[in-house]
Amino acid sequence: MSPSSKRIAAVYDQVLARNPGEAEFHQAVKEVFDSLDRVLTKFPEYAEESILERICEPERQIIFRVPWTDDHGRVRINRGFRVQFNSALGPYKGGLRFDPSVMLGTVKFLGFEQIFKNALTGLPIGGGKGGSDFDPKGRSDGEIMRFCQSFMTEAYRHIGSSVDVPAGDIGVGAREIGYLFGQYKRIANRYEAGVITGKGTSWGGSLVHTEATGYGAVFFTEHMLQANGRGLDGARVLVSGSGNVAFYAIEKIHALGGLVIGASDSSGAVHDPQGIDLDLLREVKQVQRARISEYAQQRDSAEFIGGRSVWSVAEKHRVDVAMPCATQNELDDDDAKLLLKAGVSAVVEGANMPTTPAAIDRLRDAGTLFGPGKAANAGGVATSALEMQQNSIRDSWSFEYTEARLAEIMENIHARCAGTAEDYGVPRDYVAGANIAGFTQVADAMIAQGVI
């Protein structure tokens, strides 16, 4: 074992000891650390300056009580989180997630990933994340408003357009962002539009924000395939999920000539060999708010596969590209085996860390192109940063101009990942390229700013 490998292993052991029970955070750290042996060998100053130790310790972790009253007058209590992980490149930037699964380890894993994802955009934003174990499902607008107001009553003192800029994530959409911003404005007594992103387009929001993560992941996929002599035109694609990321990924894949033959939700998956009908999917998931089985009932060409993931479609059908766009660790080693047998040539993450380490190893060992989430799904935060720019100059950009900016950012992210992998002797390894490019940019800024 090389000296740099020993140093990395020792620091990782410290991370395990200092953060017990936070499996997702451990996984995120290990995934980055596995790419850094070459970096520390080439640049020993990163070890000398204890960058590994410092980058794994959030600058600030905030946990607070969120009391609110339901429609029956009963007082409810939830827990709120904001992890301000690293501000070397700019104000903390990252979404808020409202879901019963949220705990400190979840927020730390997401915030750690956000450091490198934000660095890859080339925009001046640091990494952070937040949320609550509140479940918005089944709650009335009044209950959600009262919860959001209570959450912001504490959170407002920790955020600001030059300090920390939250956005939406799972469970936090336009409605929640509106309530959060309204309470911030009320308490702070100022219209600081850049304090939160994902706002309505009529009051400071950016066009393309809703589409950005899905579109961006597809732009990245197209560049990755083209760089390796292929493209999405004619490709048969599986996309997990049926929320915003999945929906707009499907839309852009179809626009580029690909055919999405499967999508899913938590109840199961649908296989549609004629291609997912976006109008019907929108009606079922966004208007009726029904299970995806309803899609199959209303479309003769579709088949519902209950209780299984969309990757099960690969048991019987050829698949060229897979895009996990739902949640973390949804594509495991068994799924990777199925996809490889089905002929998959690329797997690109639209969600945050949706592929297990064992599945990633199997795909990479087989020579399959793999686009990690910190690169491929950076379109959402990139467009949030574009919203911040518009707020700063009191301007509003057209859809076409904003989408062109997004496309340019995703092309640059691909070029950075591919170029860095080539420079470090691991061509086509987008995981290593993304990790090294993001890490070195943040590490250089940390060294320049001193021991803080």
Side-chain angles (χ1 to χ4, degrees):
M1 184 180 286
S2 68
S4 57
S5 294
K6 290 179 181 177
R7 179 62 179 266
I8 291 168
V11 176
Y12 183 66
D13 286 343
Q14 291 178 23
V15 170
L16 296 180
R18 290 167 68 89
N19 304 276
E22 297 177 356
E24 292 168 328
F25 178 53
H26 302 160
Q27 181 182 338
V29 171
K30 187 174 189 304
E31 194 265 343
V32 173
F33 277 16
D34 283 348
S35 301
L36 297 184
D37 187 20
R38 295 176 178 85
V39 181
L40 266 62
T41 300
K42 187 174 181 179
F43 299 106
E45 59 267 32
Y46 293 150
E48 294 163 6
E49 296 281 352
S50 297
I51 294 297
L52 292 182
E53 293 89 337
R54 290 159 59 188
I55 210 166
C56 291
E57 189 65 28
E59 294 174 13
R60 192 172 294 107
Q61 302 179 65
I62 303 153
I63 305 176
F64 52 96
R65 182 177 63 198
V66 187
W68 57 282
T69 306
D70 67 20
D71 287 343
H72 304 289
R74 179 182 171 187
V75 176
R76 304 276 188 156
I77 303 295
N78 284 97
R79 182 174 287 178
F81 304 91
R82 190 67 184 173
V83 173
Q84 297 173 333
F85 223 117
N86 191 290
S87 61
L89 300 181
Y92 310 104
K93 186 79 189 79
L96 296 171
R97 177 175 293 191
F98 292 170
D99 188 85
S101 66
V102 171
M103 58 186 72
L104 183 59
T106 313
V107 178
K108 285 169 68 176
F109 129 62
L110 293 166
F112 185 76
E113 286 276 291
Q114 203 78 44
I115 300 169
F116 310 104
K117 180 188 299 185
N118 293 0
L120 287 171
T121 68
L123 300 168
I125 44 178
K129 205 74 177 183
S132 173
D133 56 2
F134 171 74
D135 188 357
K137 296 186 187 70
R139 292 293 176 188
S140 69
D141 287 351
E143 288 175 322
I144 288 173
M145 181 184 72
R146 290 190 292 276
F147 172 81
C148 289
Q149 289 176 341
S150 181
F151 184 95
M152 185 55 78
T153 297
E154 173 59 32
Y156 92 96
R157 69 190 76 240
H158 306 293
I159 66 176
S161 57
S162 298
V163 180
D164 184 353
V165 183
D169 196 275
I170 293 172
V172 180
R175 173 183 55 179
E176 290 76 14
I177 292 294
Y179 293 147
L180 289 164
F181 179 75
Q183 183 71 352
Y184 178 88
K185 180 167 65 76
R186 179 188 194 184
I187 297 172
N189 193 33
R190 60 180 179 271
Y191 201 104
E192 188 181 348
V195 73
I196 196 165
T197 59
K199 302 182 293 296
T201 53
S202 63
W203 48 279
S206 174
L207 293 169
V208 192
H209 189 277
T210 305
E211 298 87 350
T213 305
Y215 278 16
V218 176
F219 289 146
F220 185 92
T221 304
E222 179 75 341
H223 288 301
M224 188 172 73
L225 290 172
Q226 288 180 346
N228 290 275
R230 288 163 255 175
L232 276 168
D233 190 25
R236 294 165 61 85
V237 186
L238 292 178
V239 176
S240 68
S242 49
N244 268 353
V245 178
F247 185 88
Y248 289 107
I250 294 169
E251 182 177 271
K252 188 57 69 174
I253 290 166
H254 286 174
L256 293 175
L259 185 71
V260 178
I261 61 170
S264 64
D265 66 10
S266 58
S267 68
V270 290
H271 170 232
D272 190 342
Q274 293 185 10
I276 295 295
D277 182 326
L278 277 172
D279 289 336
L280 178 56
L281 186 65
R282 179 186 284 112
E283 174 66 24
V284 169
K285 298 302 298 181
Q286 299 180 4
V287 179
Q288 299 176 16
R289 297 191 179 277
R291 291 296 191 182
I292 204 163
S293 56
E294 187 66 26
Y295 175 97
Q297 291 176 15
Q298 297 183 43
R299 183 150 166 96
D300 293 340
S301 61
E303 167 196 12
F304 176 64
I305 307 168
R308 299 195 64 189
S309 73
V310 73
W311 319 122
S312 62
V313 172
E315 289 178 343
K316 300 177 181 178
H317 305 278
R318 191 188 95 237
V319 177
D320 301 307
V321 178
M323 295 187 68
C325 295
T327 190
Q328 61 262 28
N329 291 323
E330 58 166 295
L331 196 162
D332 62 21
D333 191 39
D334 289 337
D335 299 324
K337 291 176 186 175
L338 277 180
L339 290 170
L340 289 171
K341 287 180 181 178
V344 74
S345 60
V347 176
V348 181
E349 296 184 320
N352 292 310
M353 208 169 73
T355 314
T356 65
I360 294 172
D361 288 344
R362 183 173 296 279
L363 292 166
R364 292 166 75 189
D365 289 346
T368 301
L369 294 170
F370 185 82
K374 62 172 59 69
N377 74 25
V381 73
T383 304
S384 282
L386 298 181
E387 181 175 330
M388 292 166 64
Q389 289 183 25
Q390 293 170 76
N391 295 157
S392 295
I393 60 176
R394 303 292 195 270
D395 198 3
S396 180
W397 302 338
S398 70
F399 189 98
E400 292 75 17
Y401 177 77
T402 310
E403 184 180 2
R405 287 290 308 274
L406 171 63
E408 180 184 15
I409 289 168
M410 298 310 300
E411 182 178 7
N412 290 340
I413 290 173
H414 173 267
R416 286 187 68 187
C417 295
T420 301
E422 190 82 33
D423 290 344
Y424 279 82
V426 283
R428 290 170 36 105
D429 189 337
Y430 287 90
V431 173
N435 287 334
I436 295 170
F439 174 82
T440 53
Q441 183 177 355
V442 177
D444 289 343
M446 291 173 70
I447 291 173
Q449 294 168 24
V451 180
I452 55 172

